[in-house]
Amino acid sequence: MRMVDLIQKKREGGALSQEEIEFLISEFVHGKIPDYQMSAFLMAVFFRHMTEKETFYLTRAMEHSGQVMDLSAIEGIKVDKHSTGGVGDKTTIILAPMVAACGVKVAKLSGRGLGHTGGTIDKLEAIPGFRTSLAFEEWVRQVNEIGLAVAGGNEQLVPADKKIYALRDVTATVEEISLIASSIMSKKLASGADAFVLDVKVGSGAFMKTLTDAQALAALMVKIATLSGKKACAFLTNMDLPLGKSVGNALEIIECVETLRGQGPRDLTDICLSLATKMVEYGADISEREAKNRVMERFRNGDALKKFKEFVQAQGGDTAFIDDPLKLIGTVNVRPFYALKGGWIKRMETEEIGKAAMILGAGRETKESRIDPAVGLVLEKKTGDAVKANEVLGSLYYREEKRMEEALGILTRAIKFDTEPAEAPKLILDVVA
Ligand code: URA
């Protein structure tokens, strides 16, 4: 088999066989196919796409390109959740303890943020002492002991995705749905869970800007999971506005604690309850109604918050900061920002809001950038809200004046007003099962 023939076949719109796909992944990972040939192949896929079958073969070949987690030492059905990434998306930190408090085990690997999107691992590291680097045995032991553990990605997992993603990033081939689905699902399958709840973000702060593209991606990921013998469903959720009020690592932990106390923003609370219900339905193998009742009970009676504290303690975090989360902010500067005129908020350019937080130091411009856990922004008003002239729209938490001025300029342009009442956007746009 020769790579040039496979590139040509795809360039002409042909469908590759399982054997051909396994060949190209294995040879590429072992350094026998050069980057320039893989780049040409990726561009051919970008224009010609892949069939559902090809995407499935690609996913499985990528999944087996490195270590595959064996979670058999953890009893019961293991359920994982994945979000395609957004602004203010802190759901894992809230729903993992909710689900564990319901008796369903959560063995989670999470990532760091890049660019305008945040990452769960960076957020958890805003808690002093919290360790996100756990050896496999420790991760499994903790799940068996307290029902949940969240660790950073394992370097040996899916090396094919690391190499291919790096090429996609610099060859303008990221946005092909078959490549996104295989990238995400290969990592999910390799991390060993039995069932997946996918949160596909849609809108100005997400990868998928339209509902149609998000539906196609969601359906493909659910199909790949099903063909792999796993249960899966996908929620399509609105990223045309940030989730919750806070964007920034410590600020988001504060919001997580408030939400687990029952005092969080409505949109964030509702989405966590919906995703947690599906995870409990799969993990406990009970009806949706029973799962919902159990999640609501353990949320309302404080068990989910207790489980969160237990989780923070197990991973070395100082729980005094959970009892009094405002301490996480320390001595950072705070500057409110105001509405220049009255009206209704019609639209929020969410990617720009994520960029404003990144400029303050809450995110990374490059993989090497250091983040500052205390900085970020809090939005008091969001799309659909009525606003009076000079009313506070939110606050910036910052260290450097220059960065604050830049972030303020971006935010001012990102929030669009109208003189007519604007509707509050729907949160869950679709569910693909
Ligand atoms: N997230 C991934 O892991 N891979 C993609 O291709 C896109 C988003």
Side-chain angles (χ1 to χ4, degrees):
M1 224 178 279
R2 296 187 322 150
M3 184 61 177
V4 65
D5 297 329
L6 303 186
I7 298 170
Q8 189 177 1
K9 189 169 176 183
K10 185 44 72 187
R11 190 194 70 193
E12 284 161 16
L16 269 57
S17 68
Q18 181 171 8
E19 198 190 355
E20 286 168 333
I21 289 174
E22 283 171 357
F23 164 84
L24 76 85
I25 291 299
S26 162
E27 296 287 293
F28 180 58
V29 168
H30 292 105
K32 295 189 196 140
I33 290 174
D35 284 357
Y36 55 81
Q37 280 192 312
M38 185 51 99
S39 301
F41 178 75
L42 293 169
M43 191 53 88
V45 171
F46 186 86
F47 283 116
R48 293 297 201 161
H49 316 294
M50 278 187 149
T51 63
E52 207 172 81
K53 242 188 190 164
E54 284 179 290
T55 313
F56 173 66
Y57 297 144
L58 177 64
T59 308
R60 297 309 297 259
M62 287 169 70
E63 174 197 349
H64 291 285
S65 64
Q67 196 185 330
V68 174
M69 298 274 196
D70 174 5
L71 301 187
S72 56
I74 302 171
E75 230 180 87
I77 301 170
K78 276 76 65 180
V79 192
D80 198 357
K81 167 250 166 196
H82 181 82
S83 155
T84 57
V87 177
D89 180 8
K90 52 204 71 88
T91 53
T92 292
I93 301 168
I94 301 163
L95 64 80
M98 276 179 175
V99 171
C102 292
V104 171
K105 305 242 169 68
V106 184
K108 183 104 190 74
L109 296 178
S110 286
R112 295 192 182 276
L114 184 65
H116 75 281
T117 65
T120 299
I121 291 299
D122 296 326
K123 294 172 199 188
L124 287 170
E125 286 179 354
I127 304 169
F130 196 98
R131 289 181 307 114
T132 55
S133 177
L134 303 182
F136 177 72
E137 296 70 25
E138 190 183 4
W139 183 64
V140 167
R141 191 179 341 111
Q142 186 179 311
V143 176
N144 277 329
E145 281 171 9
I146 68 161
L148 88 147
V150 181
N154 174 331
E155 280 305 304
Q156 274 101 57
L157 231 54
V158 197
D161 182 60
K162 290 186 186 76
K163 286 190 78 177
I164 292 174
Y165 198 91
L167 289 184
R168 287 168 60 206
D169 210 16
V170 292
T171 56
T173 52
V174 169
E175 297 92 341
E176 160 57 26
I177 283 176
S178 63
L179 298 177
I180 299 177
S182 54
S183 164
I184 293 175
M185 291 312 295
S186 59
K187 288 177 285 196
K188 288 291 105 186
L189 291 168
S191 56
D194 307 299
F196 305 104
V197 175
L198 307 167
D199 180 6
V200 178
K201 302 284 183 198
V202 192
S204 63
F207 255 120
M208 295 288 114
K209 304 291 182 204
T210 68
L211 185 59
T212 313
D213 282 350
Q215 281 163 329
L217 175 64
L220 188 54
M221 292 198 292
V222 169
K223 185 77 196 233
I224 291 168
T226 314
L227 289 173
S228 308
K230 312 275 181 176
K231 268 192 181 168
C233 78
F235 286 71
L236 276 69
T237 64
N238 199 334
M239 203 19 84
D240 260 332
L241 69 176
L243 187 56
K245 293 161 75 167
S246 301
V247 187
N249 300 285
L251 292 167
E252 292 192 47
I253 294 290
I254 296 171
E255 194 168 57
C256 290
V257 176
E258 283 167 355
T259 304
L260 284 164
R261 284 178 180 163
Q263 296 151 2
R266 181 74 192 268
D267 60 344
L268 179 61
T269 307
D270 285 354
I271 196 158
C272 288
L273 290 170
S274 299
L275 295 169
T277 296
K278 193 45 112 179
M279 290 175 78
V280 171
E281 180 188 329
Y282 282 168
D285 201 13
I286 54 179
S287 70
E288 187 180 343
R289 178 190 285 261
E290 284 174 284
K292 190 172 181 184
N293 289 343
R294 196 183 294 183
V295 169
M296 286 309 295
E297 179 201 318
R298 310 288 157 92
F299 169 55
R300 289 200 179 122
N301 72 8
D303 281 0
L305 177 62
K306 261 192 235 145
K307 186 56 76 181
F308 178 62
K309 271 181 80 172
E310 208 182 331
F311 155 64
V312 169
Q313 185 159 28
Q315 291 193 216
D318 184 346
T319 55
F321 288 88
I322 307 306
D323 294 329
D324 185 5
L326 290 177
K327 285 203 313 196
L328 288 167
I329 293 299
T331 55
V332 79
N333 303 307
V334 186
R335 183 208 194 276
F337 60 99
Y338 304 91
L340 301 177
K341 55 185 177 192
W344 280 263
I345 299 183
K346 187 181 174 199
R347 187 170 163 77
M348 300 180 105
E349 299 295 348
T350 309
E351 183 167 343
E352 293 304 302
I353 295 172
K355 276 187 198 156
M358 180 185 77
I359 284 164
L360 292 169
R364 292 182 186 80
E365 279 174 74
T366 69
K367 285 203 170 90
E368 288 70 38
S369 314
R370 282 182 70 85
I371 58 169
D372 182 339
V375 301
L377 52 98
V378 175
L379 300 161
E380 300 300 341
K381 301 280 180 188
K382 296 211 305 189
T383 308
D385 286 345
V387 178
K388 296 192 194 81
N390 298 322
E391 198 174 352
V392 173
L393 290 178
S395 300
L396 297 170
Y397 290 69
Y398 68 99
R399 300 244 188 236
E400 292 170 35
E401 290 293 326
K402 200 167 144 258
R403 283 175 182 258
M404 184 275 286
E405 292 292 348
E406 193 182 344
L408 184 58
I410 292 174
L411 266 182
T412 310
R413 289 187 295 276
I415 303 177
K416 316 275 190 209
F417 290 85
D418 201 349
T419 47
E420 301 288 317
E423 259 182 53
K426 219 172 138 187
L427 184 59
I428 297 176
L429 304 171
D430 196 5
V431 179
V432 176

